[in-house]
């Protein structure tokens, strides 16, 4: 593997870039799009078929910008301040190559994306995957490092992560600018569409502005519809009986597109992924986001159900669906079902898992030993997957070519276009009506 040494790479991770105001740096972090786009930034040209990339580190402060690196003679990079040992999610799908002791960059993970693009994470304290491992967006590829003089830190003088991309011609490009130019997976306006209104998509907006996010989850509380959206690492709540006013719950640092919610006996629960661990927060505990101990979780997808008072969490660990429940101290057990996304429902006392693998959607039931059967649905894209049991009929929602599709068990799983646009989706059933929330 050719090394990609980055001379004059990085300093410490504790202070913002010299010569720039803290306001500018924080604004850059809040925008999650590089934000500082003045001279010296290499903006990628038109991509042949640009791979989907997202920013897994939007919850961390930018401690050195692209321009700061260039001013020291580096080929470029973005530094994010984080403690040593922080789990590093893949910013997009690809194949992993590890480069130990890569010059000034120290231990480096390369993710080889489609069409010749590469992403590199520098100064790692630990590699977690073997060379050649295929990963999806959100899979954990290593642990951050950067402590001065530590093995794998390279020239770093303090804990942080350095991230850059390389285009097919070998030119270093800013991943945050790339995301601006190729805004797949960026926060989008949430729309609501109802089955009894011809799936007409209406914007969800309140006095605090439009509800937007990279991921959305929905629950009902009586006759009230409640939406949770993930935007810039923060989780927001909006309720239909409060004019969809979008309020921050106080939860921050959530990563990827993994977001799930549950109403359990009138208490609202939110599930999200931080540094590879599933976290739980609830309304009766001031939304304190507590680590369940479920580790290695991809930040691309998560699902949760309740059965007989027990909460079940389904996450993707190492490319397989795992199940953990509250009555078993959250021990995370492998179901053996390969997947990049998961959704779960109950039918009576049976737990049913829907998994997305290679564009195909599969169904597995707990009363059939989790035997994984293809539903016949193919062509599903991304990690958007939702499911609903409405009056005994099982429904699956997925995205094909930018539109939410619906398939039902009483219609031989024919995957029909709802005409609702979106790359992320959640679904509710209320008074017999199916509701899609798409972003």
């Amino acid at each position: 593997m050719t090394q990609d040494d980055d001379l004059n790479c990085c300093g410490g991770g504790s202070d913002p870039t010299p010569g720039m105001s803290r306001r500018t740096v924080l604004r850059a972090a809040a925008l999650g799009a590089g934000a500082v786009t003045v001279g010296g930034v290499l903006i990628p040209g038109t991509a042949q078929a640009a791979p989907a990339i997202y920013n897994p580190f939007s919850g961390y402060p930018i401690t050195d910008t692209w321009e700061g690196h260039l001013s020291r003679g580096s080929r470029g990079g973005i530094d994010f301040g984080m403690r040593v040992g922080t789990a590093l999610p893949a910013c997009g799908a690809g194949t992993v190559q590890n480069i130990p002791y890569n010059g000034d960059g120290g231990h480096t993970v390369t993710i080889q994306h489609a069409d010749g693009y590469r992403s590199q994470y520098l100064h790692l304290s630990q590699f977690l995957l073997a060379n050649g491992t295929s990963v999806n967006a959100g899979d954990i590829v290593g642990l951050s490092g950067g402590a001065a003089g530590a093995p794998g830190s390279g020239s770093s003088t303090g804990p942080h992560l350095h991230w850059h991309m390389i285009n097919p011609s070998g030119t270093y490009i800013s991943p945050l600018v790339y995301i601006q130019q190729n805004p797949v997976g960026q926060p989008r306006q949430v729309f609501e569409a109802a089955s009894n209104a011809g799936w007409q998509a209406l914007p969800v907006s309140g006095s605090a502005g439009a509800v937007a996010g990279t991921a959305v989850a929905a629950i009902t509380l009586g006759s009230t519809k409640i939406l949770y959206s993930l935007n810039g690492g923060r989780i927001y709540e909006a309720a239909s009986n409060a004019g969809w006013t979008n309020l921050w719950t106080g939860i921050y640092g959530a990563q990827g597109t993994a977001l799930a919610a549950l109403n359990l006996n009138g208490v609202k629960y939110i599930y999200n992924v931080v540094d590879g661990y599933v976290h739980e927060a609830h309304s009766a505990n001031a939304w304190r986001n507590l680590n369940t101990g479920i580790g290695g979780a991809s930040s691309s997808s998560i699902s949760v159900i309740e059965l007989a008072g027990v909460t079940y969490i389904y996450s993707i660990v190492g490319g397989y669906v795992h199940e953990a429940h509250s009555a078993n101290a959250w021990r995370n057990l492998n179901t053996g079902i390969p997947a990049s996304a998961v959704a779960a429902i109950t039918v009576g006392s049976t737990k049913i898992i829907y998994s997305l693998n290679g564009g195909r959607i599969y169904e597995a039931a707990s009363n059939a030993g989790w035997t994984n059967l293809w539903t016949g649905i193919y062509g599903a894209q991304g990690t958007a997957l939702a499911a609903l049991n409405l009056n005994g009929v099982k429904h699956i929602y997925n995205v094909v070519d930018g539109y939410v599709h619906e398939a039902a068990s009483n219609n031989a799983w024919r995957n029909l276009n709802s005409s609702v646009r979106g790359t992320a989706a959640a679904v509710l059933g209320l008074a017999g009506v199916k509701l899609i929330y798409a972003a």
Side-chain angles (χ1 to χ4, degrees), residues 188-189 191 384 398-404 419-425 438-439:
R188 294 165 56 97
Q189 164 81 62
F191 288 79
N398 58 102
V399 172
V400 180
D401 294 335
Y403 289 89
V404 178
S419 296
V420 178
R421 293 189 64 89
T423 58

Side-chain angles (χ1 to χ4, degrees), residues 179-413:
I179 290 169
Q180 278 186 311
Q181 302 296 314
N182 302 276
V184 176
Q186 295 307 292
R188 294 165 56 97
Q189 164 81 62
V190 177
F191 288 79
E192 177 187 68
S195 58
N196 64 349
W199 293 126
Q200 179 185 3
L202 302 174
V204 179
S205 186
S207 59
V211 175
T214 53
V216 61
I219 61 172
T220 57
L221 195 62
S223 61
T224 299
K225 301 168 289 185
I226 298 178
L227 291 184
Y228 296 98
S229 56
L230 175 54
N231 192 339
R234 295 184 172 195
I235 298 177
Y236 295 80
E237 179 187 65
S240 59
N241 67 347
W244 292 124
T245 300
N246 204 32
L247 302 176
W248 180 34
T249 60
I251 300 171
Y252 64 92
Q255 297 161 340
T257 54
L259 183 65
L262 178 70
N263 171 11
L264 185 60
N265 300 322
V267 177
K268 301 170 289 184
Y269 287 79
I270 299 173
Y271 298 86
N272 58 102
V273 173
V274 180
D275 294 342
Y277 285 87
V278 177
H279 283 55
E280 176 189 69
H282 61 83
S283 56
N285 193 24
W287 295 123
R288 289 181 58 211
N289 205 29
L290 303 178
N291 191 340
T292 63
I294 299 171
S298 166
S299 57
S300 63
S301 181
I302 192 172
S303 187
V304 61
I305 57 174
E306 177 270 332
L307 184 62
V310 176
T311 301
Y312 292 82
I313 297 174
Y314 297 92
S315 59
I316 310 294
V317 178
Y320 289 88
V321 177
H322 283 56
E323 177 189 69
H325 62 82
S326 56
N328 193 24
W330 297 126
R331 286 185 58 213
N332 207 28
L333 303 178
N334 192 344
T335 64
I337 299 170
S340 59
V342 62
I345 60 172
T346 59
V347 177
S349 60
T350 299
K351 299 168 292 182
I352 297 180
I353 295 173
Y354 295 100
S355 57
L356 175 55
N357 188 17
R360 295 186 171 194
I361 298 177
Y362 296 79
E363 179 186 66
S366 58
N367 65 350
W370 295 128
T371 300
N372 205 32
L373 302 176
W374 181 34
T375 60
I377 301 171
Y378 63 92
Q381 298 161 340
T383 57
L385 187 63
L388 175 69
N389 172 11
L390 188 62
N391 301 324
V393 177
K394 299 172 289 185
H395 296 77
I396 301 172
Y397 299 86
N398 58 102
V399 172
V400 180
D401 294 335
Y403 289 89
V404 178
H405 283 53
E406 177 191 64
S409 58
N410 64 350
N411 194 22
W413 294 124

